[in-house]
Amino acid sequence: MPHNMKILLSRTQIADGVARIGQQITRDFAGESVILVGVLKGACLFLSDLARQIELDATFDFIAVRSYGTQKESAGEVQLIKDVTTPLEDKNVVLVEDILDTGLTFSFLRKLLLARKPRTLKFAALLDKPSRRQMPVQADYVGFQIPDEFVVGYGLDYAERFRNLPDICVFSEDR
Ligand code: IMP
Ligand code: MG
């Protein structure tokens, strides 16, 4: 494995967590349609696996944000780079994120999406680092709570790299 990587969540553990969230969403929206809105780029692997675990009429859309800061820390300013193209009014929307960390990104996106008047807005985060929270937000669906470690793989990056690792790994530069 490249660099200083230690597996935190293996591909089979990830698949189990994704399947569990898929079942929860399938149950919560039984008989209805959902729009899955993935936050680029980190959530694209999670969304593609999650979508196949949801047994509902589902469509996809994507949104992209940038948060300023260093490569491992958000500086608290979130900017919209790409908006959804689907009208969300009166729709069931599930926002799909790789990780809920400080909560700044989700707070920003929640405000933005609620202004579109969806029927429901739920938030699915594969990973949750509760100890890092700066905003009072939580996800409706969480795959795994993880400690305060910087992780890469399965969509998550360090300076745009390592998104394609099949497992979620703790990454550290010191070696
Ligand atoms: P928040 O706004 O601090 O909640 O951060 C959410 C975003 O920060 C995620 O969508 C990730 O892009 C990034 N992020 C937070 N923690 C990690 C990590 O451990 N590895 C990689 N990206 C992370
Ligand atoms: Mg990132």
Side-chain angles (χ1 to χ4, degrees):
M1 227 176 285
H3 296 75
N4 202 359
M5 299 282 187
K6 190 172 157 290
I7 293 180
L8 179 69
L9 295 165
S10 69
R11 60 200 81 182
T12 42
Q13 288 175 295
I14 296 168
D16 288 349
V18 173
R20 177 168 37 80
I21 296 177
Q23 286 156 15
Q24 290 168 347
I25 292 174
T26 301
R27 191 190 56 216
D28 290 355
F29 291 97
E32 299 182 48
S33 306
V34 291
I35 304 177
L36 305 176
V37 175
V39 184
L40 296 174
K41 304 168 207 165
C44 68
L45 278 70
F46 176 37
L47 185 142
S48 63
D49 286 341
L50 178 63
R52 283 174 278 188
Q53 300 292 334
I54 294 177
E55 293 171 41
L56 297 171
D57 177 38
T59 57
F60 302 166
D61 208 328
F62 295 93
I63 199 163
V65 293
R66 177 181 354 201
S67 58
Y68 291 100
T70 65
Q71 282 161 347
K72 288 189 175 181
E73 294 276 339
S74 146
E77 227 177 293
V78 184
Q79 189 195 0
L80 185 68
I81 300 177
K82 183 220 166 295
D83 205 341
V84 294
T85 55
T86 321
L88 303 181
E89 186 167 352
D90 207 29
K91 304 287 192 209
N92 297 314
V93 176
V94 181
L95 184 65
V96 179
E97 251 283 41
D98 51 3
I99 185 166
L100 175 58
D101 187 31
T102 62
L104 291 160
T105 306
F106 177 49
S107 300
F108 174 86
L109 289 174
R110 181 175 61 180
K111 189 166 172 232
L112 185 93
L113 297 179
L114 282 176
R116 313 280 165 82
K117 308 248 183 292
R119 178 154 138 170
T120 54
L121 177 65
K122 297 284 185 186
F123 181 42
L126 179 64
L127 305 178
D128 182 13
K129 280 187 204 170
S131 64
R132 297 257 310 158
R133 206 76 87 245
Q134 292 176 26
M135 305 295 278
V137 292
Q138 58 183 42
D140 301 289
Y141 308 102
V142 174
F144 305 91
Q145 291 201 339
I146 63 166
D148 182 11
E149 307 244 42
F150 194 82
V151 292
V152 296
Y154 195 72
L156 292 135
D157 73 304
Y158 174 67
E160 295 299 329
R161 299 178 62 199
F162 313 118
R163 294 191 196 274
N164 59 322
L165 297 181
D167 307 297
I168 292 174
C169 302
V170 175
F171 171 72
S172 55
E173 291 144 300
D174 43 338
R175 184 164 65 173

